[in-house]
Amino acid sequence: MSNRTRQLISTALITSVLSILIGGFAVVSTYRSEIAIIDKHLNQVESDIRVNPLDAVSIALLSIEQNNFDLTLGFATPTGEVTILRESVGTPLDGPDLRIRHVPIPEGDELIIASSLVDINRSLDLNLWKLLIFIILANILASIATSLLSRSGALAQERAQRQKMQEFLGDAAHELRTPMTVVKGYAELLKGKQLDPERESAAFDRLNSELKRMDFLIGDLLMLAQLGEEGNIDFESIDLAELVRENISDFKEIAPTHPLTTQIDENVVLIGSEKYLRRFIQNALTNIRLHTPASTPVRVSIKADKQIIMIIEDAGPGLPAESYGEKIRGLKRFDRSRSRDTGGTGLGMSIMNAVIERHKGTFTLRKSELGGLAIEVHLPRT
C-alpha cells in the first residue's frame, strides 16, 4: 500500500470518527431534548391530576387545554375498558411509538395520558441520514484537500531534491576538475614523447597516483549521493556499542602508540545501517591516526539515555578555530593540503555528516577537553 493511499485512509478514518462524535452528540442531544419536553408535558398533567384526584377527568382535560398540550387522554375501568376522552391528531392509544403515563384515580379507575413519538423518531431518522451524508461529503472534501496538500508537499520535496542534486553535481564537478586537469596535462606530455626515460617514469607514477585519487574521490562521491537518496538503504537493529568496540580493536592494532580510553554503555541498540555507521566510526578513527602525532591520547565514549550520545575525541592539533560548531554543507573540506599529504579525498567529514543526518541525528565538531578535536553525535534511540 502506497503512502498516499495510507494517508487518504487515515484522513477518512479521522474525519469519520470526528463527524460521528460531534454530529452524533448533536443528534442524540436533540432527540433527548424533544423527549424531555414530552415528559415535561406528561408530568405537568399528572401533577395537576394528583392535586385533585376526585375531579381527575375535568382537571386533566383543563390542564391539557390550558397548556395547549398535544396529548391523548383516555379513561380505563378496572375491567380494562378504555374510553377516549380526548384524542390528539395521530396519537391513537393503540398506535406505535407512544410515550404513556398511567395515573390511578378513585374507584380503581385510571387515566391514560399519551403522546406520539412518531414525529420525533422520524426527525431522528432524518438527522441520522443527514449525518451520514455529511460524513460522506466531509470525507470527499478531506480527501481532496489531503491529495492537494500531498501533491504540493511532493512538489516542494522534488524541488528541494532537485536543488540539492544540482548543488551536489556542481560540487562534484569542482572536486574532479583538479585531478582531471593534472591527468590531462601528463597525458599530453606522455603522448608527445618529449620526456627522457627518468621523467617519463615519474610522469607515469604521478598519472597513476592521480587516477587512484580520482577513483577514491568518485567512490566517496557515490557514497554521498547514495546517502542523499531516499529509501535505498536497509536499516536493521544494531548494537552501536559492539560496533564501536570492534573498530577500536582494529584501531589499537593499526595505531598501538595512541593511548586510548573508553567509556561505553552496554546494549546501545538503535535502528540503522551497520555499513554506514561502521564507515562513520572508521573515518573518525582514521582521521585521528593520520592527522595526529603517534602518542596522541584518544578517548571514545557512548552514553545511552533518552538519546544516544557518542563522542570521539583526541589531544591532537584539532581544526582551525573557525571550523568548530560550523554546519557541514555539501562537500566540505577543512584542509585540502592535509588530504593530499595523506592520500585521502578530503570528503570524510561530509560523509560522516551525511551518515548521521540519514540516521536522523546531529553531528557537531567542537574543541575537546583533551585539547584537540571532539566529534559529538546525538542519535535517537529505538
Side-chain angles (χ1 to χ4, degrees), residues 64-165:
I64 293 172
E65 293 299 329
Q66 285 184 343
N67 292 292
N68 198 26
F69 293 155
D70 187 21
L71 301 175
T72 293
L73 180 65
F75 178 84
T77 64
T79 60
E81 295 179 3
V82 178
T83 302
I84 303 301
L85 304 177
R86 182 188 188 280
E87 186 173 40
S88 172
V89 178
T91 313
L93 287 180
D94 56 351
D97 299 332
L98 296 178
R99 196 80 164 175
I100 298 178
R101 295 290 174 84
H102 296 270
V103 183
I105 58 177
E107 306 299 333
D109 301 322
E110 68 175 8
L111 290 179
I112 303 173
I113 314 167
S115 178
S116 175
L117 300 181
V118 172
D119 291 340
I120 295 177
N121 290 336
R122 186 182 296 117
S123 177
L124 175 63
D125 293 339
L126 180 61
N127 287 334
L128 289 175
W129 276 108
K130 288 180 179 179
L131 177 60
L132 178 60
I133 294 171
F134 173 80
I135 292 173
I136 294 172
L137 291 176
N139 279 326
I140 292 173
L141 293 176
S143 298
I144 293 173
T146 301
S147 180
L148 292 175
L149 290 173
S150 177
R151 186 177 302 174
S152 176
L155 290 174
Q157 185 178 8
E158 183 180 348
R159 285 194 295 269
Q161 289 179 344
R162 189 184 300 115
Q163 181 179 359
K164 189 175 181 180
M165 180 57 68

Side-chain angles (χ1 to χ4, degrees), residues 324-344:
Y324 295 115
E326 180 182 355
K327 172 67 175 176
I328 300 176
R329 295 184 179 275
L331 310 183
K332 174 68 179 177
R333 287 176 181 237
F334 292 99
D335 191 339
R336 293 176 181 273
S337 62
R338 188 171 74 169
S339 65
R340 286 195 297 270
D341 294 340
T342 59

Side-chain angles (χ1 to χ4, degrees), residues 199-346:
R199 292 180 62 194
E200 185 177 271
S201 177
F204 272 116
D205 290 341
R206 181 64 188 278
L207 189 62
N208 286 329
S209 174
E210 290 300 321
L211 287 173
K212 288 180 180 178
R213 281 181 53 78
M214 286 182 64
D215 184 53
F216 290 141
L217 182 57
I218 290 171
D220 284 351
L221 290 172
L222 289 175
M223 176 171 286
L224 281 170
Q226 187 179 28
L227 285 166
E229 294 176 359
E230 294 293 335
N232 63 337
I233 299 178
D234 294 330
F235 277 26
E236 58 185 342
S237 180
I238 301 168
D239 187 343
L240 185 62
E242 182 61 28
L243 190 61
V244 169
R245 289 192 186 94
E246 291 177 5
N247 282 273
I248 287 176
S249 178
D250 295 337
F251 178 80
K252 288 179 177 179
E253 291 292 330
I254 300 172
T257 59
H258 282 274
L260 191 148
T261 58
T262 62
Q263 186 177 356
I264 301 174
D265 289 354
E266 296 293 331
N267 299 320
V268 184
V269 179
L270 76 159
I271 301 297
S273 167
E274 181 179 348
K275 170 185 173 182
Y276 290 112
L277 288 173
R278 185 182 296 275
R279 175 63 183 269
F280 176 90
I281 300 165
Q282 288 174 347
N283 276 16
L285 294 175
T286 299
N287 285 340
I288 293 173
R289 179 172 59 84
L290 295 177
H291 304 309
T292 64
S295 59
T296 301
V298 180
R299 183 167 65 195
V300 179
S301 63
I302 300 180
K303 183 179 180 181
D305 196 2
K306 292 181 179 180
Q307 284 188 320
I308 296 172
I309 302 175
M310 177 170 61
I311 302 175
I312 302 175
E313 53 190 328
D314 60 69
L319 295 175
E322 64 272 12
S323 299
Y324 295 115
E326 180 182 355
K327 172 67 175 176
I328 300 176
R329 295 184 179 275
L331 310 183
K332 174 68 179 177
R333 287 176 181 237
F334 292 99
D335 191 339
R336 293 176 181 273
S337 62
R338 188 171 74 169
S339 65
R340 286 195 297 270
D341 294 340
T342 59
T345 64

Side-chain angles (χ1 to χ4, degrees), residues 337-358:
S337 62
R338 188 171 74 169
S339 65
R340 286 195 297 270
D341 294 340
T342 59
T345 64
L347 301 180
M349 287 294 185
S350 296
I351 291 174
M352 293 166 69
N353 181 65
V355 169
I356 299 305
E357 282 189 347
R358 192 59 190 270

